[in-house]
Amino acid sequence: MSKLHTRQVAHHLHEVFDASVDVSDRERDAPEERENHFLTRALAAFSIMTLAECDEIDAADAICDGYGDGGIDAVWFSEQSSHMILVQSKWKKSGGGVDLAGTLRFKQGVEHLLEGEKAHFTEQNVLSRWDKIQDVIATPSVRVDLVLATTANNVSSEITTEMTEYCHKVNDGVAETLRFRSFNLSEVHNTIIKTKEGAPIDGDLLLQDWGKLSDPHTAYYGKISATALAQFHEDHGDRLFDKNIRKVIRSSAVNETIVASLEVEPSKFWYLNNGVTALCSSIERAAQGGSSREAGIFRAQGLSIVNGAQTVGAIHSAWRRSPEALESAHVSMRIIVVPEDDQQFAQQVTRANNTQNQVKNKDFAALDPNQERLRRELLADDIIYEYKSGGEVGGNQGFGFEEAIVALACAFKGESSYCVLAKGSVGRLWEDIRKPPYARLVTKSVTGENVWALVRHLRVVETRLREARQARTGWARNVVVHGNRFIFRQVTHRLGISSANAAAVPVTEKQLRDETMCVVDEVEEQLKEAFDGSYLASLFKNQSKCQRIEAELRADNT
């Protein structure tokens, strides 16, 4: 890549971020130095905007480039999706490479952030969001992307190896919590080109058993062959989903289920799938077929699929594997005409079609008669147990499904694997209600009063750990944040509490609170002795390491 490409990138960054990236703290700098600071910050914001798929305002708000930033130039996070992006930005006016020393400073800053070591930061945009940043980091399912954004032509293998090995060490073979990627000049430039591309997609669609709505907006509906949709995706790629809120997710359990449905029973696919919704700027029906509604060819201009991207992507995958398998498969399709001057309606349609309530695996627990039995048992004591999504969970007089299953998993008398799942992959506890873990946790012998007692004990322990968290910093704080499920398991074991007797064991709140801190002290000793320097967020999701700590704790207390 040449200096020309660097200038083009700089021009684009000014176009997008002149109004949102603040460099008022650099007013006394020479013009060239001030420009360099702007471009460094704007490049960090552009990286956030690209990878997080947010707007330029949110991206610019993530900038924390300044004195005391720990080598981190931008921190973006989503509490809803438990996703965080940390960026170091290196603007290189004339190409060249990135120095390892700067990257090592970035790595060290990341370490301080993950360990909650606030004293290492003085940058205000880090400090003002510190608690929220730490809350996201403490989320078991958090994903943290470490990004080196630069207009250098390449990033050395030395830097890539250093950062990749660091991520591998932190992840500890449990989950891909940390990921490193570089965003070099070529990638930045190509991304800018793609944002400037996007000629409207026009095409002919054959709809069978079609119908039409004329008021208040023109729309056609019918069924389309899966093969035709697959070919349309083959011709236009992911540009077909430019107005959708997301592209095709290349690897997901849901998409694999769609593919399997297509391959096993293609003739039933129309009945099993919600179909596809598309917008277009204009549409007309070809003369072929006359007035018959049996089949019609529709010529659409400016076509974009706004709902059903995963369906189309899965169909395309199945078609590429075995085109003949899709010959009898059809999909329901709606095509809504939205004039260019009515984009508000286009956004309304897109938003509405992508906010349906998702049926999650835990919703299938409602099919387990034990759940309704527990609800009725507890209701007799005026305790509200809500096991269905959408129900209101009462405070001191009630609880919900997830809190119940976590308490049962942690207090399970057998192996500690269920407790580890409760911390790292809680959804796997109810992945299939016909099989373990769920089938071993929720049995006919489990009573409502014992589940309620476990939940109350869990709340006491969690409250005590929250208090401890407020009084601690750094590593010690992370012990009580990331080890909360493991600590509760040890507390219940020591007090002789399980799902079979929780309501009958006479235990006071003070006993629970005192035992909690005794366990914390002993866990800290074991960690220092056996796993000093380990990333605790990963450690407490690691089955073998948790088993080892538990064995040592119980051996010491025999």
Side-chain angles (χ1 to χ4, degrees):
M1 303 293 283
S2 67
K3 292 182 180 180
L4 171 63
H5 298 110
T6 306
R7 288 199 300 271
Q8 290 172 339
V9 170
H11 178 73
H12 182 78
L13 294 178
H14 275 289
E15 277 188 337
V16 176
F17 294 108
D18 263 351
S20 53
V21 168
D22 182 19
V23 286
S24 58
D25 60 319
R26 296 290 176 177
E27 286 182 356
R28 296 183 179 180
D29 290 351
E32 185 175 350
E33 188 177 351
R34 179 183 170 89
E35 170 72 353
N36 189 69
H37 278 290
F38 170 82
L39 292 171
T40 297
R41 295 176 183 183
L43 180 62
F46 181 74
S47 304
I48 295 289
M49 191 170 77
T50 300
L51 300 176
E53 297 184 357
C54 64
D55 62 28
E56 71 277 9
I57 303 299
D58 287 342
D61 286 344
I63 294 171
C64 56
D65 173 44
Y67 297 112
D69 61 17
I72 302 171
D73 296 319
V75 179
W76 175 92
F77 57 87
S78 166
E79 294 174 281
Q80 183 177 9
S81 63
S82 302
H83 184 201
M84 178 174 290
I85 301 174
L86 307 178
V87 181
Q88 183 179 62
S89 177
K90 295 291 184 181
W91 179 263
K92 299 286 183 177
K93 186 176 180 180
S94 55
V98 178
D99 65 293
L100 178 61
T103 306
L104 291 177
R105 183 167 173 264
F106 175 50
K107 185 184 102 172
Q108 187 176 54
V110 172
E111 288 177 329
H112 293 324
L113 198 69
L114 294 180
E115 294 299 334
E117 297 175 355
K118 190 176 182 179
H120 291 280
F121 297 91
T122 57
E123 216 291 328
Q124 189 56 38
N125 202 26
V126 175
L127 298 180
S128 64
R129 300 181 296 159
W130 184 262
D131 289 342
K132 288 187 177 181
I133 290 171
Q134 293 302 315
D135 285 344
V136 174
I137 291 172
T139 305
S141 58
V142 67
R143 294 176 296 114
V144 183
D145 288 321
L146 309 183
V147 180
L148 175 57
T150 178
T151 50
N153 290 320
N154 55 64
V155 173
S156 71
S157 59
E158 188 180 18
I159 287 175
T160 301
T161 299
E162 179 75 28
M163 295 303 294
T164 302
E165 288 182 352
Y166 169 64
C167 291
H168 182 72
K169 176 186 173 183
V170 170
N171 294 335
D172 200 21
V174 177
E176 197 179 18
T177 302
L178 259 64
R179 298 179 299 184
F180 171 73
R181 65 155 296 174
S182 58
F183 199 41
N184 63 24
L185 176 59
S186 176
E187 293 172 294
V188 172
H189 191 267
N190 287 338
T191 301
I192 292 171
I193 294 298
K194 287 179 181 178
T195 63
K196 294 177 179 294
E197 288 177 343
I201 295 175
D202 303 332
D204 290 353
L205 302 169
L206 174 64
L207 295 183
Q208 299 176 33
D209 302 321
W210 63 274
K212 179 183 180 182
L213 295 177
S214 300
D215 186 65
H217 294 273
T218 300
Y220 289 90
Y221 58 91
K223 66 180 183 181
I224 186 171
S225 76
T227 299
L229 269 184
Q231 186 62 60
F232 213 64
H233 187 218
E234 180 76 3
D235 293 342
H236 300 287
D238 281 358
R239 286 184 53 235
L240 198 54
F241 316 112
D242 277 352
K243 293 184 180 179
N244 200 354
I245 60 170
R246 59 183 180 180
K247 308 293 186 183
V248 176
I249 300 172
R250 300 299 174 191
S251 177
S252 78
V254 172
N255 289 9
E256 287 301 317
T257 300
I258 296 174
V259 171
S261 171
L262 273 167
E263 293 177 339
V264 175
E265 294 183 298
S267 62
K268 294 182 180 179
F269 189 72
W270 184 89
Y271 299 92
L272 304 176
N273 186 268
N274 289 332
V276 172
T277 299
L279 303 181
C280 67
S281 56
S282 64
I283 191 170
E284 61 180 21
R285 188 168 68 86
Q288 294 98 316
S291 60
S292 171
R293 294 293 179 101
E294 185 174 331
I297 297 175
F298 297 86
R299 292 172 178 162
Q301 294 184 317
L303 190 76
S304 181
I305 291 174
V306 296
N307 183 250
Q310 310 319 313
T311 292
V312 176
I315 288 172
H316 183 251
S317 294
W319 175 76
R320 297 199 73 174
R321 288 189 203 175
S322 177
E324 62 277 4
L326 272 64
E327 289 177 356
S328 61
H330 289 82
V331 186
S332 177
M333 186 171 192
R334 297 188 302 164
I335 307 171
I336 302 170
V337 180
V338 180
E340 289 293 332
D341 60 356
D342 197 0
Q343 290 308 298
Q344 184 176 357
F345 179 62
Q347 292 177 4
Q348 188 178 2
V349 172
T350 303
R351 185 182 301 276
N353 276 272
N354 285 283
T355 52
Q356 300 96 334
N357 293 323
Q358 181 184 9
V359 178
K360 301 179 180 178
N361 282 339
K362 73 177 180 180
D363 293 325
F364 291 109
L367 301 177
D368 178 10
N370 284 315
Q371 292 294 333
E372 178 60 16
R373 173 182 60 79
L374 292 172
R375 188 191 71 81
R376 292 175 67 86
E377 287 178 9
L378 289 160
L379 190 61
D381 291 325
D382 294 324
I383 304 300
I384 299 170
Y385 173 50
E386 286 289 359
Y387 62 89
K388 294 183 179 180
S389 295
E392 293 290 331
V393 180
N396 293 329
Q397 288 302 308
F399 61 105
F401 171 80
E402 188 165 337
E403 194 174 18
I405 204 77
V406 166
L408 287 167
C410 293
F412 187 69
K413 291 191 71 174
E415 71 273 12
S416 60
S417 60
Y418 297 162
C419 171
V420 174
L421 288 178
K423 184 62 184 178
S425 303
V426 68
R428 289 177 58 190
L429 294 174
W430 55 74
E431 195 168 41
D432 188 337
I433 66 171
R434 299 165 298 179
K435 301 176 182 178
Y438 179 89
R440 294 185 70 187
L441 296 174
V442 185
T443 64
K444 291 181 180 179
S445 63
V446 173
T447 66
E449 65 174 354
N450 280 332
V451 176
W452 176 224
L454 280 177
V455 168
R456 295 200 309 274
H457 296 338
L458 175 64
R459 290 177 178 178
V460 171
V461 171
E462 289 287 354
T463 298
R464 184 65 187 94
L465 291 175
R466 279 196 298 272
E467 293 169 359
R469 183 171 67 184
Q470 296 301 318
R472 293 165 168 240
T473 59
W475 182 85
R477 180 182 184 274
N478 285 336
V479 171
V480 297
V481 170
H482 299 297
N484 59 337
R485 302 300 187 217
F486 181 82
I487 292 166
F488 176 64
R489 174 175 170 79
Q490 307 314 315
V491 170
T492 58
H493 171 77
R494 294 187 181 190
L495 296 176
I497 298 168
S498 72
S499 61
N501 65 6
V505 176
V507 60
T508 66
E509 181 174 329
K510 184 177 186 305
Q511 284 178 287
L512 286 166
R513 289 172 60 86
D514 290 347
E515 194 63 47
T516 296
M517 295 315 296
C518 286
V519 170
V520 169
D521 291 341
E522 292 178 27
V523 168
E524 285 182 339
E525 289 180 15
Q526 288 296 328
L527 289 171
K528 289 175 181 177
E529 183 176 326
F531 300 108
D532 190 30
S534 292
Y535 181 50
L536 298 182
S538 295
L539 184 144
F540 285 109
K541 300 174 195 173
N542 185 300
Q543 174 62 30
S544 63
K545 291 183 178 180
C546 285
Q547 282 180 334
R548 179 177 168 184
I549 296 170
E550 181 171 281
E552 293 293 337
L553 290 173
R554 295 186 179 183
D556 291 344
N557 284 276
T558 54

